[in-house]
């Protein structure tokens, strides 16, 4: 196969740098808008935007290091932690954003069905998301440090396999959980009213959730298969996982083919889902807010427009008994 021309490699580097920098600036602007709108700093929107901001910043710095030579980043290869920070830690940010989406949609489902149930399990949901994200981070960081140490080739392969097995399995499990949330959300007629009060809709939620589930789960499944069955004696730019390209870069250079594939993988399986998440959590000046979360279950909304104009108000048969019971209590 003929070598990829250097101008093509440089053009791809500039393109990826510009795309990541644009996403960084967009997320940065959205965070400032949230601050101006008085959004809570530890709510879902700031956290989602901050994760996207960090991912875009790290990838922008990484591709900027390749601008001088698209196949060389020698200072990064000699220092384990900076190498992990730029190559591997963005994968941890992607997993954290997946956990955040799971938590957000689980909260929406609980609040629409029964807010008291969410208050009951809120601490468990938060702690579970934090623990899962920390587990992913610890496994990723530990294996990355071992790979940069003086380890035998057989142990190195087992380290890569264990990291892929744990991390990609976590991605698949969280993607399945998010898919279940999407299915439940699609069946709840009153969920659209709640989401519209938050500046989004069920259609937007389903679109973002479907894209994230499809891309993350497909990449995780591919990584597991590639790490498990790819032959060691057949060189290929496609037989690496989330950050296995960084594992190969103990040498001073990588091939042009590997670098191009690396850029395509980052665009399709990282930049696209991260952009969807950032757009979903973008800043919006909300003119419509629901009354306390417990009233979502009783269908008492703060806007008369929703009360009279929502044609799907009584679509769910499960809602009618609760409404009748509430009116009988009056």
């Amino acid at each position: 196969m003929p070598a990829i021309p250097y101008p093509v490699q440089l053009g791809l580097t500039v393109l990826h740098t510009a795309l990541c920098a644009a996403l960084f600036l967009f997320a940065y602007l959205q965070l400032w808008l949230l601050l101006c709108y008085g959004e809570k700093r530890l709510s879902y929107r700031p956290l989602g935007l901050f994760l996207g901001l960090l991912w875009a910043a790290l990838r922008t710095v990484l591709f900027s290091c390749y601008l001088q030579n698209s196949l060389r980043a020698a200072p990064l290869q000699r220092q384990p932690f900076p190498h992990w920070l730029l190559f591997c830690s963005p994968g941890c940010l992607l997993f954290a954003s997946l956990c955040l989406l799971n938590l957000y949609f689980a909260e929406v489902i609980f609040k629409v069905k029964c807010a008291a149930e969410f208050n009951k399990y809120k601490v468990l949901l938060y702690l579970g998301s934090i623990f899962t994200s920390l587990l992913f981070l610890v496994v990723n960081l530990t294996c990355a440090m071992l790979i940069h140490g003086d380890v035998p080739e057989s142990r190195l392969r087992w380290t890569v396999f264990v990291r892929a097995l744990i991390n990609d399995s976590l991605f698949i499990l969280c993607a399945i959980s998010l898919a279940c949330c999407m299915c439940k959300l699609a069946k709840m007629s009153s969920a659209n009213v709640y989401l519209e009060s938050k500046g989004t809709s069920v259609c937007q939620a389903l679109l973002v959730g479907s894209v994230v589930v499809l891309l993350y789960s497909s990449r995780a499944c591919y990584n597991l298969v590639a790490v498990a069955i790819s032959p060691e004696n057949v060189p290929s730019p496609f037989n690496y996982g989330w950050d296995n390209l960084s594992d190969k870069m103990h040498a001073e250079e990588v091939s042009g083919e590997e670098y191009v594939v690396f850029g395509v993988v980052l665009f399709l399986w990282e930049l696209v889902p991260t952009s969807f998440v950032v757009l979903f959590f973008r800043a919006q000046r909300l003119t419509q807010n629901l009354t306390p979360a417990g009233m979502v279950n009783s269908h008492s909304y703060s806007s008369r427009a929703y009360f009279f104009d929502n044609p799907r108000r009584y679509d769910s048969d499960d809602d009618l008994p609760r409404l009748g019971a509430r009116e009988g209590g009056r």
Side-chain angles (χ1 to χ4, degrees), residues 175 178 208-220 269:
L178 184 58
V208 173
S210 300
V211 170
V212 170
V213 168
L214 176 64
L215 293 179
Y216 284 170
S217 59
S218 63
R219 182 175 183 180
W269 279 332

Side-chain angles (χ1 to χ4, degrees), residues 24-294:
F24 172 85
L25 293 176
F26 179 79
Y28 184 74
L29 175 62
Q30 297 303 305
L31 285 172
W32 273 107
L33 290 177
L34 287 180
L35 185 63
C36 295
Y37 295 161
E39 183 84 15
K40 294 181 180 179
R41 297 184 180 180
L42 288 180
S43 60
Y44 290 103
R45 289 182 188 273
L47 290 176
L49 290 172
F50 186 69
L51 290 174
L53 180 80
L54 284 180
W55 180 91
L58 291 172
R59 287 312 189 195
T60 301
V61 173
L62 174 63
F63 282 108
S64 298
C65 294
Y66 283 98
L67 283 176
Q68 293 183 349
N69 187 333
S70 296
L71 301 180
R72 187 184 297 268
L76 301 178
Q77 300 166 12
R78 303 189 186 100
Q79 303 177 16
F81 183 75
H83 195 263
W84 172 84
L85 185 66
L86 293 181
F87 282 96
C88 308
S89 64
C92 301
L93 297 175
L94 296 177
F95 182 77
S97 65
L98 180 59
C99 291
L100 187 68
L101 282 176
N102 267 288
L103 192 60
Y104 176 79
F105 290 123
E107 180 173 334
V108 170
I109 293 171
F110 270 114
K111 285 189 173 182
V112 172
K113 293 180 64 176
C114 182
E117 289 294 322
F118 174 73
N119 293 330
K120 183 179 179 181
Y121 298 106
K122 177 170 62 175
V123 176
L124 290 178
L125 289 173
Y126 289 164
L127 291 179
S129 297
I130 295 174
F131 174 78
T132 308
S133 299
L134 288 178
L135 175 62
F136 188 97
L137 174 64
V138 170
V139 171
N140 191 287
L141 180 58
T142 302
C143 292
M145 295 299 104
L146 290 176
I147 287 171
H148 279 271
D150 296 329
V151 295
E153 186 66 25
S154 59
R155 186 178 176 184
L156 176 64
R157 179 170 176 80
W158 274 107
T159 302
V160 173
F161 177 76
V162 170
R163 180 182 60 187
L165 180 63
I166 297 176
N167 288 356
D168 293 330
S169 297
L170 289 175
F171 260 103
I172 293 174
L173 291 175
C174 286
I176 293 175
S177 173
L178 184 58
C180 293
C181 290
M182 294 296 100
C183 293
K184 292 183 179 180
L185 205 62
K187 297 177 182 179
M188 302 173 66
S189 59
S190 54
N192 195 52
V193 179
Y194 180 84
L195 288 173
E196 284 180 355
S197 72
K198 301 299 182 183
T200 183
S201 65
V202 171
C203 292
Q204 294 178 12
L206 292 178
L207 175 62
V208 173
S210 300
V211 170
V212 170
V213 168
L214 176 64
L215 293 179
Y216 284 170
S217 59
S218 63
R219 182 175 183 180
C221 292
Y222 170 79
N223 289 342
L224 287 174
V225 173
V227 173
I229 68 174
S230 58
E232 299 180 8
N233 58 345
V234 179
S236 171
F238 295 96
N239 58 357
Y240 55 83
W242 286 94
D243 45 56
N244 198 30
L245 181 63
S246 62
D247 301 341
K248 291 183 176 183
M249 294 179 63
H250 294 292
E252 289 295 319
E253 295 186 357
V254 295
S255 69
E257 185 183 2
E258 285 180 333
Y259 181 75
V260 171
V261 173
F262 177 59
V264 173
V265 166
L266 289 186
F267 176 81
L268 179 63
W269 279 332
E270 292 193 12
L271 180 61
V272 172
T274 304
S275 300
F276 271 87
V277 173
V278 169
L279 288 173
F280 181 76
F281 288 118
R282 69 191 183 278
Q284 298 183 69
R285 188 186 296 275
L286 302 179
T287 58
Q288 197 86 322
N289 285 314
L290 296 182
T291 50

Side-chain angles (χ1 to χ4, degrees), residues 8-20 63 67 70 259:
V8 175
Q9 300 166 10
L10 181 61
L12 290 174
T13 304
V14 172
L15 175 62
H16 287 297
T17 305
L19 290 174
C20 294
F63 282 108
L67 283 176
S70 296
Y259 181 75

